[in-house]
Amino acid sequence: MESYPSNFAGEVLKNNDGLFMLANNIKLVTKKNFLINPKEKRVYIFDVKFNLPDRKRISLESVNFPLKIINKNYYVDLLSLSSLFGFEILDKNDYYLLEQGKKLKMPSNKEVPTGLVALGFSTARNFSDLKKIDLNSNINTLCFTWFSLEDGFGNFSNNADIGVVNYLHEKGYKVWGLFNNKFNPDLTHKLLENKYNVENAIKQIVMYATIYHLDGVNVDFENFRELDKNNFNYFIERLSERLRNMNVLLSVDVTVPNDNSSWSSCYDRKTISEFSDYVVLMAYDEFTRGSERAGPTASISWVKKGLDDTLKEVKPAKVLLGIPFYTREWIEDSSGKIISVKALDNKDLKEFIEANSISPEFDKKYGLYHISFYRYNLRHEIWFDDTKTMSNKLELIKKYNLGGFAIWKLESAGISSWASFSSAFGDKLINIGGIRNGE
């Protein structure tokens, strides 16, 4: 008769989102000091040292993991801890045995893409969120918004879920992780002006990419000062060196070229593209909340101009064209002054149009469909894509031989959102991962 191990490390809970242990027992398992932050719903583990698969050793003052609140107790994902601290989780039917000696695995060799990168950004944080997304053969890569710059020292908050990564890998998808700067110029400047802070940020990114088995890293730094341009180049160059050795792809998000210092001219697109595998051109937000008049999110002429200007500095094969799955409802008074701007997802468009009993009309100026109506003496306007106008944008990908597309975001997709993609690309999307027809 098998006896229970004497070194009991606490309760474990299993549900649809994974396998979790009580956060209060972290030191029993990891031998590390930790701090639970209830406000941020995360736990910090201090003085972490581990060896990468390429035998390089990383030392970090702290790493953090998201907490799950179950029955008023704080739990942490056990599988993520096992990946970082090197133990196997053995299921013994009525208990789990943690066995030391697990080695971090090097990501599989980077494939040379023979087809398009068909990427969809997602805000899903766990398997329950993932089930709400329409996973289909029109995408082969998912990029999750899991990591945010936490301070100027290069630490990132972590909301990743290794169970989601493993599930998608089993289905044939590639998984990337997005690292953002919270669009905070002061935080970003403090990071980039100090090479020690940059090195810490790189170590954090490398560590999270390793323990979560990421196929790619996406850097989404926006709204930073133009004077930080060269330091941002240095950050991308150093990061690319580390990721290349790990067979992890690097992509960097950029806006369309214009003279806005903190949203556009802060990017040295040519240099960024030389060090990264892909540049994601965020070809949306033509008109935003700060605009003085109403207008579309991404008109065809504006997208084409932004693409043409970008291709003066970036090779076409490295460009992923950003595609918005959202628009905006503009509300104006009788003088044309903007009173309110509301984001509207593609999935909600049909219901919105039917509820207001309006018929869309084609706007030749913008190459999009347009609706306009009055309520309480206020004018409401929306511009949006249908299957035809979306096809016109996707034709640019084929015309310029771009590396693919990047959709913001999968949660916003409507039933009709995918028709243009299927007819435009077909089998070309399957070559670097993904599934077809629900396989």
Side-chain angles (χ1 to χ4, degrees):
M1 180 178 176
E2 184 177 2
S3 60
Y4 288 101
S6 58
N7 53 339
F8 178 69
E11 176 188 350
V12 172
L13 188 148
K14 186 175 183 179
N15 62 23
N16 291 334
D17 288 329
L19 187 65
F20 300 89
M21 62 169 281
L22 279 168
N24 286 329
N25 295 326
I26 283 177
K27 191 167 185 177
L28 290 172
V29 173
T30 68
K31 307 297 189 285
K32 298 292 182 180
N33 292 322
F34 67 95
L35 172 69
I36 292 175
N37 188 321
K39 183 178 180 180
E40 296 180 3
K41 296 181 181 178
R42 67 183 64 258
V43 60
Y44 293 82
I45 305 176
F46 301 104
D47 188 27
V48 175
K49 298 178 176 65
F50 69 103
N51 293 317
L52 291 171
D54 61 4
R55 298 184 180 180
K56 289 184 178 179
R57 188 166 178 80
I58 282 186
S59 298
L60 293 167
E61 292 182 3
S62 71
V63 299
N64 65 88
F65 295 92
L67 291 172
K68 195 174 187 70
I69 302 176
I70 304 172
N71 298 327
K72 299 182 179 181
N73 292 314
Y74 294 110
Y75 287 80
V76 64
D77 177 32
L78 188 56
L79 193 57
S80 297
L81 291 180
S82 75
S83 184
L84 176 59
F85 291 101
F87 54 83
E88 296 280 357
I89 305 173
L90 305 178
D91 188 349
K92 297 294 185 177
N93 294 322
D94 53 351
Y95 70 93
Y96 290 93
L97 180 65
L98 307 183
E99 187 173 85
Q100 293 292 334
K102 178 181 179 181
K103 293 183 178 180
L104 287 170
K105 295 181 180 179
M106 181 73 79
S108 58
N109 290 333
K110 184 191 298 184
E111 302 170 27
V112 178
T114 56
L116 298 173
V117 175
L119 182 145
F121 287 104
S122 171
T123 57
R125 291 190 174 186
N126 51 50
F127 191 71
S128 296
D129 291 341
L130 188 70
K131 289 192 294 185
K132 302 172 186 176
I133 299 174
D134 178 21
L135 292 175
N136 58 70
S137 60
N138 292 297
I139 57 172
N140 52 36
T141 306
L142 282 86
C143 184
F144 293 96
T145 58
W146 281 337
F147 308 96
S148 296
L149 187 63
E150 195 169 55
D151 54 43
F153 301 108
N155 297 306
F156 287 87
S157 61
N158 165 29
N159 289 296
D161 189 315
I162 197 169
V164 168
V165 177
N166 292 340
Y167 171 82
L168 291 170
H169 279 165
E170 290 174 1
K171 294 293 185 181
Y173 292 94
K174 300 296 183 183
V175 180
W176 296 2
L178 180 151
F179 292 77
N180 72 58
N181 66 332
K182 291 185 176 178
F183 304 168
N184 185 320
D186 294 331
L187 205 62
T188 309
H189 177 71
K190 186 175 181 179
L191 166 69
L192 296 177
E193 71 172 349
N194 185 298
K195 290 187 177 181
Y196 174 82
N197 295 344
V198 168
E199 185 59 30
N200 184 57
I202 291 171
K203 288 194 293 186
Q204 290 244 337
I205 293 171
V206 166
M207 184 270 298
Y208 287 125
T210 302
I211 67 173
Y212 288 110
H213 309 155
L214 299 178
D215 304 292
V217 163
N218 175 258
V219 176
D220 183 30
F221 276 34
E222 302 179 46
N223 190 32
F224 62 92
R225 298 166 188 158
E226 190 172 2
L227 62 86
D228 289 320
K229 178 187 292 188
N230 290 336
N231 288 335
F232 184 66
N233 288 345
Y234 173 80
F235 169 53
I236 296 301
E237 179 182 3
R238 295 284 294 138
L239 178 59
S240 70
E241 292 171 0
R242 298 297 295 272
L243 295 180
R244 191 178 302 116
N245 293 333
M246 298 168 54
N247 300 316
V248 175
L249 293 168
L250 172 63
S251 63
V252 182
D253 300 343
V254 301
T255 56
V256 298
N258 59 49
D259 58 2
N260 189 309
S261 62
S262 59
W263 290 97
S264 183
S265 54
C266 55
Y267 299 114
D268 179 351
R269 293 168 180 78
K270 183 176 186 299
T271 300
I272 289 171
S273 69
E274 290 172 354
F275 293 116
S276 59
D277 296 286
Y278 294 103
V279 171
V280 178
L281 178 61
M282 297 181 287
Y284 35 80
D285 288 345
E286 177 181 0
F287 288 80
T288 66
R289 290 182 184 276
S291 300
E292 295 181 356
R293 60 187 178 88
T297 303
S299 66
I300 185 65
S301 59
W302 181 84
V303 171
K304 187 178 183 303
K305 183 182 185 305
L307 183 55
D308 287 336
D309 291 342
T310 300
L311 293 177
K312 294 174 182 177
E313 301 179 280
V314 184
K315 294 179 180 178
K318 286 196 170 189
V319 175
L320 305 184
L321 182 62
I323 303 287
F325 269 12
Y326 69 95
T327 185
R328 289 185 172 92
E329 177 190 5
W330 301 83
I331 304 176
E332 311 151 67
D333 65 15
S334 57
S335 69
K337 180 182 177 181
I338 305 299
I339 301 299
S340 176
V341 184
K342 301 177 182 178
L344 186 65
D345 289 340
N346 284 9
K347 64 183 179 183
D348 300 320
L349 263 173
K350 183 179 179 182
E351 181 180 349
F352 181 90
I353 292 171
E354 292 176 350
N356 290 284
S357 302
I358 42 181
S359 299
E361 296 182 354
F362 186 70
D363 187 330
K364 293 182 179 180
K365 177 182 177 181
Y366 292 124
L368 298 169
Y369 277 85
H370 174 245
I371 55 178
S372 176
F373 63 95
Y374 285 86
R375 182 184 296 153
Y376 304 117
N377 295 320
L378 295 177
R379 188 184 188 191
H380 296 244
E381 286 191 279
I382 294 176
W383 286 263
F384 64 95
D385 280 300
D386 74 343
T387 303
K388 174 60 179 174
T389 61
M390 180 65 76
S391 296
N392 293 337
K393 291 177 180 177
L394 300 183
E395 281 298 317
L396 296 175
I397 298 172
K398 296 193 289 186
K399 176 182 177 181
Y400 291 103
N401 293 313
L402 303 184
F405 58 81
I407 295 165
W408 182 265
K409 55 188 171 49
L410 294 179
E411 284 79 3
S412 301
I415 297 175
S416 61
S417 297
W418 300 110
S420 303
F421 292 83
S422 301
S423 58
F425 302 116
D427 293 345
K428 292 182 180 179
L429 303 183
I430 307 301
N431 296 324
I432 62 167
I435 59 174
R436 188 205 316 245
N437 297 331
E439 292 177 359

